[in-house]
């Protein structure tokens, strides 16, 4: 059983579709999860439908949505690292790496989740994953936690191969859907807003499996 899990992702909502079910599963088994979210997604363009946020209120709304999502999953420890949305790739690497190293030293996770650098579509995703890998790479090999990565670029399976970790989260649909629905300013999927009914089997097929690539350090 994983005791301490550290999740390092750049945006509110990054946890929802890709690994909320996996985190809920680990938490039910007794794990303690710390989620370090680098930004508040304050540069996002989605303001809800109909719009209920604006450029001024968006950070506060995104923070509240993230807190609600974490509560739905059961995450015990949310850290807001205070970096700026859409600038992670331009951040001082020493500052970014130092923040991540401090978390690793404090939490001593056995498992870390992040994005697979180069295969996660958004520059903030790739830069966050690269910083995590760079920081853990500096640790003695025997002290490194396992790192499992999210990836969804078109070429990820072609170049990385198939994911090596599949999590059946069909028993955690309530937590996962509540996590997704918490991010109201970002997601407008009709079926998630209760405007279109999905059959249980459709929900399970769409959301019931989460997949990861275990990062191999050289």
């Amino acid at each position: 059983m994983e005791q301490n899990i550290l999740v390092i992702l750049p945006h509110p909502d990054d946890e929802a579709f890709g690994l909320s079910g996996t985190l809920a599963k680990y938490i039910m088994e007794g794990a303690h999860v710390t989620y370090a979210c680098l930004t508040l997604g304050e540069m996002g363009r989605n303001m809800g439908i109909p719009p209920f946020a604006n450029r001024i209120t968006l950070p506060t709304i995104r923070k509240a949505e993230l807190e609600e999502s974490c509560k739905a999953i059961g995450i015990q420890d949310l850290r807001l690292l205070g970096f700026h949305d859409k600038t992670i790739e331009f951040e001082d690497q020493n500052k970014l790496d130092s923040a991540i190293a401090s978390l690793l030293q404090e939490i001593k996770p056995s498992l870390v989740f992040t994005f697979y650098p180069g295969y996660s579509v958004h520059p903030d995703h790739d830069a966050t994953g690269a910083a995590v890998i760079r920081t853990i790479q500096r640790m003695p090999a025997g002290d490194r936690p396992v790192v499992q990565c999210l990836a969804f670029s078109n070429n990820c399976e072609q170049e990385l191969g198939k994911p090596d970790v599949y999590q059946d989260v069909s028993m955690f649909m309530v937590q996962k859907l509540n996590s997704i629905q918490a991010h109201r300013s970002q997601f407008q999927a009709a079926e998630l807003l209760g405007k279109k009914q999905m059959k249980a089997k459709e929900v399970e097929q769409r959301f019931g499996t989460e997949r990861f690539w275990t990062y191999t350090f050289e």
Side-chain angles (χ1 to χ4, degrees):
M1 184 187 74
E2 300 293 346
Q3 295 293 332
N4 288 330
I5 295 173
L6 177 59
V7 182
I8 306 177
L9 302 170
H11 308 124
D13 86 342
D14 284 339
E15 80 290 347
F17 280 101
L19 76 161
S20 57
T22 296
L23 295 176
K25 181 178 180 181
Y26 276 126
I27 290 166
M28 188 201 71
E29 293 171 352
H32 185 277
V33 174
T34 296
Y35 177 14
C37 189
L38 270 61
T39 83
L40 288 178
E42 61 270 27
M43 295 301 290
R45 295 182 62 84
N46 292 332
M47 301 287 171
I49 296 178
F52 59 86
N54 57 49
R55 189 58 63 201
I56 303 301
T57 63
L58 191 61
T60 302
I61 290 172
R62 290 281 164 88
K63 178 175 179 287
E65 291 174 346
L66 177 60
E67 290 170 343
E68 184 179 336
S69 170
C70 289
K71 184 177 180 181
I73 298 167
I75 291 173
Q76 301 97 334
D77 183 18
L78 172 63
R79 308 287 182 96
L80 303 175
L81 299 195
F83 290 93
H84 200 274
D85 190 21
K86 294 190 177 179
T87 68
I88 302 302
E89 62 183 314
F90 306 113
E91 284 288 347
D92 182 310
Q93 286 193 358
N94 290 331
K95 179 182 178 183
L96 184 57
D97 294 2
S98 178
I100 293 169
S102 294
L103 284 167
L104 290 165
Q105 185 175 19
E106 175 193 344
I107 295 164
K108 295 180 173 53
S110 55
L111 176 62
V112 173
F113 287 103
T114 191
F115 285 113
Y116 206 117
Y119 296 95
S120 301
V121 179
H122 191 293
D124 278 356
H125 297 172
D126 288 331
T128 298
V132 173
I133 297 301
R134 193 168 57 235
T135 304
I136 293 177
Q137 180 86 55
R138 296 192 189 104
M139 299 171 66
D143 294 341
R144 292 174 191 152
V146 173
V147 180
Q148 293 182 358
C149 299
L150 294 157
F152 41 85
S153 64
N154 289 335
N155 63 342
C156 64
E157 288 198 17
Q158 181 182 2
E159 298 192 5
L160 297 174
K162 295 287 186 182
D164 63 310
V165 178
Y166 289 85
Q167 292 280 4
D168 178 357
V169 299
S170 56
M171 298 295 291
F172 300 90
M173 284 296 99
V174 171
Q175 292 93 326
K176 181 163 187 169
L177 294 180
N178 285 343
S179 169
I180 294 170
Q181 289 172 326
H183 296 287
R184 295 177 187 82
S185 66
Q186 302 200 62
F187 302 131
Q188 295 88 36
E191 60 270 34
L192 298 180
L193 294 174
K195 297 178 181 177
K196 177 182 176 182
Q197 293 296 319
M198 289 180 71
K199 296 179 180 178
K201 188 174 182 180
E202 292 176 314
V203 172
E204 185 173 330
Q205 287 176 340
R206 182 169 174 182
F207 299 110
T209 302
E210 296 174 351
R211 60 186 205 160
F212 307 94
W213 283 259
T214 302
Y215 193 88
T216 303
F217 292 91
E218 296 179 356

